[in-house]
Amino acid sequence: MKASIVKFIEENKIIAICRGIYAQDLVNLVSALSEGGVKLVEVTFDQGDKDCINKTSEAIKLLTSTFKGEVKIGAGTVVTLEQVFAAKNAGAEYILSPNVNKEIVQAANQLGMVTIPGSMTPTEILEAHFAGADFVKLFPAGTLGLTYAKDLLGPINNVKFIATAGVTPDNLGEFLKLGFAGAGISSYLTNKKLVNENKFDILKEHAKELVAISKEL
């Protein structure tokens, strides 16, 4: 089961990051993204919202029941063990974090979820890798830049990387050419203004654009 999710991520590459979007808006967004070819969606825990566990859990349940495996749903910004268990119970198949926490990685692994902790430095990256992470999220990838990423992948060539934050149509292909397994992308795919204006057709076209880039390699 876990191996199949790892393979699915490697094959589909683009993870849409949905932050603060719920209920029918979220279903409409994910429908548009799926039609555009994006089959991986991360629903984040909003750490500033005291009710984030309930909101995110309900959102994950809604998506898993609606898309029935056609789109693989993960939980993002997972920073506590309580959130790990909530994500699992809601039906998430993978988790992403902005940081490295060995307890979270190991707990999620024991629950059979794919783990993608966030790291910036070589020390953090290898700490995540040796803790059992399936992928390591380079964060913030856009700020760190392609030269930094290339320098990392020289000595650390045994880790599967996901580039997140600041990944755009202009640099996605370059990250993938360097050897990144995929990318997490937020506003270009999940822009709240476009969602609120029901302009899902634009987001569908954005999804198509990114998927086309990912398949050029």
Side-chain angles (χ1 to χ4, degrees):
M1 176 66 176
K2 185 174 177 179
S4 68
I5 300 301
V6 169
K7 183 179 179 183
F8 194 91
I9 292 171
E10 292 174 331
E11 289 175 346
N12 288 275
K13 301 184 187 305
I14 309 298
I15 304 172
I17 302 169
C18 298
R19 185 176 293 110
I21 303 171
Y22 303 103
Q24 192 59 45
D25 279 345
L26 181 59
V27 172
N28 292 342
L29 171 60
V30 175
S31 293
L33 296 178
S34 177
E35 289 171 10
V38 170
K39 302 296 184 180
L40 294 157
V41 169
E42 164 193 343
V43 183
T44 68
F45 286 99
D46 180 355
Q47 303 303 321
D49 186 340
K50 293 181 180 179
D51 197 34
C52 73
I53 287 182
N54 287 330
K55 286 182 178 179
T56 300
S57 294
E58 288 305 311
I60 292 170
K61 288 176 184 176
L62 177 61
L63 293 181
T64 55
S65 65
T66 301
F67 295 95
K68 304 183 187 305
E70 179 185 345
V71 178
K72 302 298 184 185
I73 310 301
T77 319
V78 177
V79 297
T80 68
L81 288 174
E82 184 181 10
Q83 290 165 3
V84 173
F85 296 122
K88 174 64 176 180
N89 290 336
E93 295 184 278
Y94 52 98
I95 67 163
L96 304 96
S97 302
N99 64 316
V100 182
N101 183 317
K102 290 181 180 179
E103 286 187 342
I104 285 176
V105 172
Q106 291 166 356
N109 280 338
Q110 289 172 1
L111 292 170
M113 288 190 289
V114 170
T115 53
I116 313 174
S119 303
M120 183 173 74
T121 67
T123 299
E124 293 170 342
I125 291 165
L126 291 175
E127 182 182 5
H129 176 67
F130 289 119
D134 297 288
F135 299 87
V136 175
K137 180 173 78 172
L138 183 65
F139 174 78
T143 301
L144 294 169
L146 290 162
T147 300
Y148 182 86
K150 183 178 180 181
D151 289 344
L152 278 177
L153 268 66
I156 308 177
N157 56 14
N158 59 327
V159 172
K160 296 175 182 178
F161 284 99
I162 303 288
T164 302
V167 181
T168 68
D170 294 327
N171 62 19
L172 171 63
E174 296 304 315
F175 276 110
L176 296 177
K177 286 176 187 175
L178 284 178
F180 277 67
I185 299 174
S186 53
S187 60
Y188 195 69
L189 289 175
T190 63
N191 184 284
K192 281 188 182 180
K193 185 174 185 293
L194 294 177
V195 170
N196 291 336
E197 294 173 355
N198 290 316
K199 293 182 177 178
F200 297 105
D201 55 330
I202 295 176
L203 296 173
K204 177 181 174 179
E205 291 306 311
H206 287 182
K208 286 182 178 179
E209 179 185 7
L210 294 175
V211 170
I213 292 170
S214 74
K215 290 184 176 179
E216 287 175 356
L217 305 176

